[in-house]
Amino acid sequence: MMQHHSLSEHDRTAKAIRIDLHTHSNASDGTQPPGELMRVAKANGLDVIALTDHDTTAGWSDAAQAAVEVGIMLVPGIEVSTKLGPASVHVLAYLPDPEHPALIEVMERVRQGRVHRAERIVAALAADFPLTWEDVLAVSEPGATIGRPHIADALVARGIVPSRSEAFASVLHVRGKYYVPHESPHPVDAIELIAAAGAVPVLAHGGSRGAVALNEPVFTKMVAAGLAGVEIRHRENDAHAREQLANYARRWDLIVTGSSDYHGAGKPNELGENTTDPEQLTRILQAGTGTDAVNSTVVFG
Ligand code: AMP
Ligand code: ZN
Ligand code: FE
Ligand code: FE
C-alpha cells in the first residue's frame, strides 16, 4: 500500500492540482476507451482522474497503462448501481479490491440484469420504431455495462432521434412509456459490500432523480453502513441539495467531492467542470485499502 499521501510545500505553492473523481469510459456508457479518456484528461490539464464505470472494473487496466504513459494519476473506482424502492441511487466506490468475490458477484448480477432490462426496453420500442437488439450491440463495446445510453446511440444510428440527450428527454425518459427499471441492490447493502471490499463509498449526485437518498432516516442508515463521503459539486445537485449534503458532511465528518461525471461525447458534462480538493483526495487514499492508486507520484512525489 502507498504510505505517502501528504502534499509537499512545492505542490501546494505550484499550480493548483486538478482532480476529477467521476468519469465513464466505453467499458460502461462513456463514448471513449479508458486509455483515450486518460490522454484527453491529461491534455485538458487534469492531474488526477478516477475511472468510475458503472458496475465494472473492466476499464482499469487500459486506463492504468495510459496513466503511466502520459503521466497522470489514476484512482481506480466503480459507480455501483443501487435502488431504493423505484428510485435509482448511485454509490461511487474508490479503490475496491477488484477480486473481492461478493463484489464481483453483485456486479455480474447487475450487469446481467441491465442486459435483460435493455432487451425489454428495445422490445417495447420495436413496436413503434425500426429498432433491433442487434442495433444496440452494434454501438456497444463487447462486455460493456449496458445502459440506456447504448439504446440511445442505436436510436441515433437509426435516425430516430438526433442525440443521446434528446433520447433521454423523450423515448428513454424514466417516466416514459418504454421505461423499464433494472434490478440492483439496496444502497445500504451495497455500501456494506463496498466497504468490505476495502473501498471508500461516496454517494454520487445525491440531489438528482428525486433525491430520495437525502431523506434523513435513509441517509443515517447509509452512514451507519459505512458511507464515507458525498459528491456535492455535481451538475445534478441543485443549491438546496448541496446545502443539505454539506450539512450531513459536517455532522458526520464525511469526505466531500466535486466531479464532472464525464461520459465523453454523449453528455454535455465536461472533464474537470467540477473538481475535488487535494485534502479530500488524501482522505480517500488513506481510507481505501482494496487496491492502489496508479502513478500517484505525479501528485504526491
Ligand atoms: P441507465 O443507468 O441505463 O438507466 O442510464 C442512465 C445513465 O445514462 C446515467 O449514468 C447517465 O449518466 C447516463 N447518460 C449518458 N448520457 C446521457 C444523456 N445525454 N442524458 C442523460 N443521461 C445520460
Ligand atoms: Zn452513466
Ligand atoms: Fe450516476
Ligand atoms: Fe456517473
Side-chain angles (χ1 to χ4, degrees):
M1 288 297 121
M2 188 173 52
Q3 302 296 330
H4 182 69
H5 300 306
S6 58
L7 296 168
S8 67
E9 195 55 38
H10 170 78
D11 294 325
R12 286 179 203 283
T13 51
K15 76 167 180 54
I17 296 166
R18 297 185 67 217
I19 302 164
D20 188 343
L21 296 182
H22 185 165
T23 70
H24 297 269
S25 75
N26 66 2
S28 65
D29 56 4
T31 58
Q32 293 162 318
E36 187 181 321
L37 166 56
M38 300 310 285
R39 280 185 277 276
V40 169
K42 176 68 180 182
N44 280 269
L46 275 299
D47 303 290
V48 184
I49 289 290
L51 179 67
T52 54
D53 277 310
H54 301 281
D55 311 303
T56 185
T57 61
W60 285 13
S61 59
D62 183 29
Q65 199 183 322
V68 172
E69 277 168 23
V70 302
I72 191 169
M73 178 174 166
L74 169 70
V75 180
I78 308 166
E79 185 174 18
V80 178
S81 304
T82 84
K83 213 165 67 168
L84 193 61
S88 155
V89 173
H90 287 173
V91 183
L92 296 159
Y94 294 113
L95 304 168
D97 173 4
E99 316 264 299
H100 191 274
L103 181 63
I104 288 175
E105 194 197 308
V106 166
M107 288 195 297
E108 270 175 11
R109 203 161 60 224
V110 170
R111 287 199 306 269
Q112 268 309 314
R114 280 174 160 282
V115 171
H116 293 313
R117 168 264 198 153
E119 286 172 337
R120 289 176 61 197
I121 294 177
V122 169
L125 283 165
D128 295 333
F129 302 100
L131 183 75
T132 67
W133 183 244
E134 284 65 40
D135 295 336
V136 175
L137 293 180
V139 296
S140 308
E141 199 58 28
T145 303
I146 297 297
R148 281 180 288 161
H150 301 99
I151 303 173
D153 289 352
L155 290 163
V156 172
R158 281 280 191 172
I160 298 164
V161 294
S163 68
R164 268 193 186 185
S165 293
E166 306 252 9
F168 271 88
S170 58
V171 288
L172 295 179
H173 197 278
V174 66
R175 285 185 299 278
K177 76 172 201 181
Y178 305 106
Y179 185 79
V180 178
H182 66 85
E183 289 312 313
S184 39
H186 189 281
V188 167
D189 297 332
I191 287 165
E192 280 172 358
L193 175 61
I194 290 164
V200 187
V202 172
L203 178 66
H205 47 73
S208 58
R209 296 171 203 140
V212 283
L214 296 186
N215 170 295
E216 187 164 341
V218 171
F219 196 91
T220 304
K221 286 198 189 87
M222 294 197 300
V223 172
L227 186 69
V230 283
E231 183 180 64
I232 296 188
R233 293 181 303 279
H234 182 289
R235 63 161 68 205
E236 288 171 33
N237 289 340
D238 64 16
H240 175 75
R242 288 176 196 217
E243 195 184 311
Q244 198 170 350
L245 286 163
N247 284 336
Y248 287 154
R250 268 191 297 275
R251 179 147 124 209
W252 284 290
D253 189 28
L254 302 174
I255 295 164
V256 166
T257 68
S259 303
S260 68
D261 205 354
Y262 177 74
H263 278 71
K267 233 185 160 186
N269 309 36
E270 298 288 356
L271 270 175
E273 69 174 28
N274 292 295
T275 55
T276 295
D277 295 339
E279 295 72 23
Q280 303 296 313
L281 172 61
T282 297
R283 292 179 69 182
I284 290 172
L285 298 175
Q286 282 166 349
T289 59
T291 193
D292 283 335
V294 177
N295 218 23
S296 52
T297 52
V298 300
V299 176
F300 292 99

